[in-house]
Amino acid sequence: MAIVKNMLVIFVCFLMLAACDLNEKTTFEVLFPVEETRNVDLEFRNERATLEFVLGDSLRKSVITIPVSGEQYARLWVGDMPYVIWLEAGKPWIAKFEGNQWYFAGKGADVNNYLNKRYVERIYFIDYYRIPNREFREKLDRVMGKREEALREDVLNPRFVEQERKRLRYVKNNHLASAVVYGEVKDGKLDLSEDTYAELQKAVIEDSASWKIPEYRESMDRVMLALAKMKKLEGSFYDISLEVLHGTISTFKDERLIEYIVNKNVMAYMKALSVGTTGEMDSIFRKWVHQPILVEAYDNLCRANRKLEKGQPAVSFTFPDINGKEVSLSDFKGKYVYVDLWATWCGPCNAEIPSLKKLEEEFQGRNIYFVSISCDKSQDEWEKFVRERQMGGIQLHMRGNNKYMEELGNNGIPRFLLIDREGNFIDANMSRPSDPRTLKILQELEGI
């Protein structure tokens, strides 16, 4: 393995480590394949920085010298995939990335190789949470059982083992809550195992000593969201988000944890809906979130979202239809426009198609257009899908141009917009076709 001899040492410094001279500095090395295009980030003490690499013949190398006080968890992110690591003062290691897995050598290698052991059965995609809950619970028990077995078998530092048992508990709680958050609601009910609710309630145990374990705060946030969803199954996203905020404030005493959960949920709500918050949500955020970087991000998002408020000019578009004709928003002036942002590969999008067709039939010949805009990468697959499904309305394709989605602040599909006859937003986050409110809102439009 040939690597440039005089390697540049990358010092990853975080603002919060101003007093770093009080801690022992330890050097870690990260080796990454030349052909990999993904960024590698180090997440350490609630801060995250992208590593810089020096190019060698077959590998790139980053040398990280950071102050480590005692021992604690951190993460190496490869793109959007997190890998848990263990940092310990005076125990440097070398991490090499190969086949989507990290391999470690050096003094701290044993713990890190345990943490990055590849298991046959894993849970890391949303789809895993959408299987029947009883089936998921069985899978979760198998997955966590294998990890606990590995922890018992490996001869590791007792202090680490104590922390790892806690972390595994938080990992399990997070998965358990995620199955509720992403589970399907049918007829106003979630099909859950009888003990799920009781287990989630038991998971709400504040432990400030676990603050350095990332999964601690993440699991607390996810559990509070799951409990709120179970309490308000038929509530709106706003209702559920507000329930999380009130529940968090009344349950926890650690202001760091309250700040974390409040910030995460308010920002998630605003990013998903791309609109400003109501006064109550804003006042909760202002009271509990004080870190300057978090407040600045919130203020920037508020400013960006103002252009999507009711009465603001709708974001314009020009895309080709199924026959290649260019169609623009301005072509529909004088008519209401109900816009569906979707893709053929999106399950929730496809689930809305029958309800969308019913709306189109209900309002046929009236003063409204139904426009579906696909973000599919393949135009051929989109055309085939539209023709085979005999989809109605006006079908448009983005042709790989994501600017429209970016201007809407769009982070997921399906997304629906309602635009008035003058080309202004009525609702930049309109309810779905399957939502009974949608028909009522459309029926009550003036001059429809």
Side-chain angles (χ1 to χ4, degrees):
M1 177 177 62
I3 297 181
V4 178
K5 291 184 178 179
N6 297 321
M7 305 302 299
L8 174 66
V9 177
I10 307 298
F11 290 90
V12 179
C13 293
F14 300 98
L15 293 177
M16 65 186 302
L17 300 179
C20 61
D21 288 339
L22 299 176
N23 299 322
E24 181 178 347
K25 293 179 180 178
T26 306
T27 298
F28 307 93
E29 296 184 14
V30 178
L31 307 178
F32 203 61
V34 171
E35 65 275 10
E36 273 279 4
T37 59
R38 292 174 287 179
N39 284 340
V40 180
D41 291 359
L42 173 65
E43 179 191 346
F44 176 57
R45 294 186 184 176
N46 301 329
E47 298 289 337
R48 181 167 162 174
T50 299
L51 301 186
E52 297 181 24
F53 288 87
V54 173
L55 184 63
D57 293 339
S58 60
L59 290 169
R60 292 179 289 159
K61 181 177 181 179
S62 181
V63 180
I64 312 162
T65 300
I66 50 177
V68 180
S69 177
E71 50 202 16
Q72 67 182 88
Y73 291 101
R75 284 170 174 158
L76 281 174
W77 288 79
V78 179
D80 59 359
M81 288 295 293
Y83 296 82
V84 181
I85 58 175
W86 181 253
L87 304 178
E88 190 168 347
K91 288 192 175 182
W93 43 250
I94 299 172
K96 181 180 178 182
F97 192 72
E98 187 176 308
N100 281 326
Q101 187 172 354
W102 289 103
Y103 297 90
F104 294 81
K107 293 182 180 179
D110 54 351
V111 167
N112 281 287
N113 281 322
Y114 153 80
L115 286 170
N116 287 273
K117 188 176 295 184
R118 180 72 64 84
Y119 296 90
V120 174
E121 202 167 20
R122 293 180 288 171
I123 300 174
Y124 55 95
F125 287 134
I126 287 179
D127 288 347
Y128 290 124
Y129 302 124
R130 291 179 174 148
I131 62 178
N133 191 252
R134 287 168 180 78
E135 181 182 336
F136 171 79
R137 293 296 303 274
E138 292 173 0
K139 180 183 179 71
L140 178 59
D141 288 342
R142 291 195 304 271
V143 167
M144 299 311 301
K146 287 292 184 183
R147 282 150 182 73
E148 290 160 4
E149 181 182 342
L151 183 62
R152 289 193 301 269
E153 291 178 348
D154 288 9
V155 181
L156 301 171
N157 181 335
R159 293 190 304 277
F160 166 76
V161 172
E162 180 182 356
Q163 290 295 301
E164 180 64 2
R165 286 202 177 101
K166 282 187 177 183
R167 191 185 74 88
L168 289 178
R169 185 170 70 248
Y170 298 133
V171 169
K172 183 175 182 180
N173 290 342
N174 199 328
H175 285 314
L176 186 66
S178 294
V180 174
V181 171
Y182 299 115
E184 293 186 3
V185 179
K186 295 181 179 179
D187 300 323
K189 295 181 180 180
L190 273 166
D191 183 19
L192 299 173
S193 300
E194 291 181 4
D195 56 351
T196 296
Y197 185 71
E199 286 191 43
L200 288 173
Q201 286 184 310
K202 290 179 182 178
V204 184
I205 300 177
E206 187 170 4
D207 180 14
S208 297
S210 294
W211 182 252
K212 289 184 178 181
I213 303 175
E215 289 84 354
Y216 163 68
R217 48 188 176 271
E218 292 170 351
S219 71
M220 289 298 173
D221 170 65
R222 188 55 55 88
V223 168
M224 294 304 292
L225 180 55
L227 291 172
K229 181 177 180 180
M230 294 173 78
K231 185 176 181 179
K232 292 185 174 292
L233 282 176
E234 297 181 350
S236 66
F237 187 9
Y238 177 79
D239 293 335
I240 293 174
S241 298
L242 207 55
E243 178 69 25
V244 173
L245 302 186
H246 289 313
T248 296
I249 294 166
S250 63
T251 301
F252 301 116
K253 292 183 174 61
D254 189 338
E255 293 188 2
R256 296 173 303 175
L257 183 59
I258 295 174
E259 180 183 53
Y260 175 85
I261 297 176
V262 168
N263 175 71
K264 191 164 184 179
N265 284 273
V266 171
M267 292 295 282
Y269 174 82
M270 293 181 64
K271 287 178 180 178
L273 298 188
S274 301
V275 292
T277 60
T278 66
E280 184 176 7
M281 191 176 284
D282 180 79
S283 63
I284 291 174
F285 182 93
R286 301 291 181 189
K287 180 177 180 179
W288 292 101
V289 180
H290 305 295
Q291 291 185 54
I293 191 170
L294 301 180
V295 174
E296 181 182 7
Y298 174 75
D299 288 338
N300 289 340
L301 191 54
C302 286
R303 283 191 291 271
N305 284 351
R306 287 193 188 110
K307 67 180 182 181
L308 303 175
E309 292 178 352
K310 183 177 181 179
Q312 293 296 313
V315 178
S316 62
F317 59 78
T318 299
F319 297 120
D321 67 11
I322 194 72
N323 298 310
K325 178 185 175 182
E326 296 286 321
V327 177
S328 301
L329 175 61
S330 58
D331 296 334
F332 307 121
K333 193 165 186 181
K335 300 278 189 178
Y336 292 102
V337 185
Y338 184 82
V339 178
D340 169 19
L341 301 177
W342 73 294
T344 60
W345 45 261
C346 169
C349 300
N350 292 334
E352 293 296 326
I353 291 176
S355 297
L356 181 58
K357 286 185 176 181
K358 288 182 181 179
L359 284 180
E360 291 167 355
E361 293 170 3
E362 175 75 22
F363 291 91
Q364 187 174 7
R366 299 177 73 176
N367 202 27
I368 186 169
Y369 283 110
F370 292 87
V371 180
S372 296
I373 305 177
S374 167
C375 61
D376 279 280
K377 291 182 179 180
S378 171
Q379 188 165 341
D380 290 340
E381 290 182 9
W382 165 72
E383 288 185 6
K384 180 182 178 183
F385 187 98
V386 169
R387 295 188 191 281
E388 287 181 351
R389 296 289 186 96
Q390 298 181 334
M391 294 178 65
I394 297 169
Q395 299 292 329
L396 306 180
H397 189 267
M398 289 185 190
R399 291 182 297 190
N401 183 355
N402 292 324
K403 185 178 178 181
Y404 182 64
M405 300 280 264
E406 291 170 1
E407 289 191 41
L408 288 169
N410 200 69
N411 292 294
I413 53 175
R415 167 117 175 241
F416 299 89
L417 320 170
L418 183 59
I419 300 168
D420 70 16
R421 293 173 291 183
E422 298 303 316
N424 301 319
F425 281 124
I426 295 175
D427 193 339
N429 283 281
M430 181 61 181
S431 53
R432 299 185 178 195
S434 60
D435 189 328
R437 293 175 296 176
T438 302
L439 177 60
K440 188 174 186 296
I441 291 171
L442 297 184
Q443 287 175 332
E444 294 176 352
L445 290 173
E446 182 181 354
I448 188 65

